[in-house]
Amino acid sequence: MQLVIADSFFDSFVTLDKVSQKTINNSIKKLAKEPKTSGLSIHNLDRANCDKSFRSARVNRDLRLIFSHKDSAIIVLHVGHHDDAYDWAEGRFLKVTPY
């Protein structure tokens, strides 16, 4: 499994406190290691008008990690408080540009 961290993730990550950042780091490690059995309550974003590959992972009671799962790649896109994370995903579609 290939793990890719998008610039948009870093933009959201740096706004959070250090304890939350540590928890998020641990969750990303779990996600990369065992995407299907990570214990992160992963689900599709069916209620949002967004890219069909977008998923949400439950970091804790409040924080949600938004990522795309396509083929053998996980692209970490955003992290935020529950409603804010889902609001961020609304209307977004993945556009991958090669370097």
Side-chain angles (χ1 to χ4, degrees):
M1 184 68 57
Q2 181 181 19
L3 182 70
V4 178
I5 308 291
D7 290 342
S8 58
F9 169 78
F10 290 113
D11 293 342
S12 60
F13 181 79
V14 298
T15 66
L16 300 170
D17 63 88
K18 298 294 182 195
V19 173
S20 295
Q21 289 178 352
K22 184 175 181 179
T23 304
I24 293 159
N25 282 336
N26 291 334
S27 296
I28 291 173
K29 288 176 188 176
K30 286 181 187 178
L31 181 64
K33 193 177 224 181
E34 297 292 334
K36 293 185 181 186
T37 60
S38 63
L40 297 174
S41 299
I42 295 169
H43 64 87
N44 296 340
L45 294 183
D46 294 333
R47 67 182 186 182
N49 174 31
C50 62
D51 196 291
K52 297 297 179 198
S53 71
F54 285 8
R55 308 284 183 267
S56 172
R58 186 175 190 250
V59 174
N60 62 24
R61 291 182 66 174
D62 181 42
L63 294 172
R64 298 298 181 268
L65 183 67
I66 306 298
F67 66 97
S68 172
H69 191 190
K70 286 190 173 190
D71 302 320
S72 63
I74 292 175
I75 305 169
V76 181
L77 299 166
H78 182 81
V79 66
H81 299 283
H82 186 278
D83 291 340
D84 294 333
Y86 293 120
D87 289 346
W88 177 89
E90 183 71 31
R92 294 191 189 262
F93 295 87
L94 189 62
K95 180 181 176 187
V96 178
T97 54
Y99 285 98

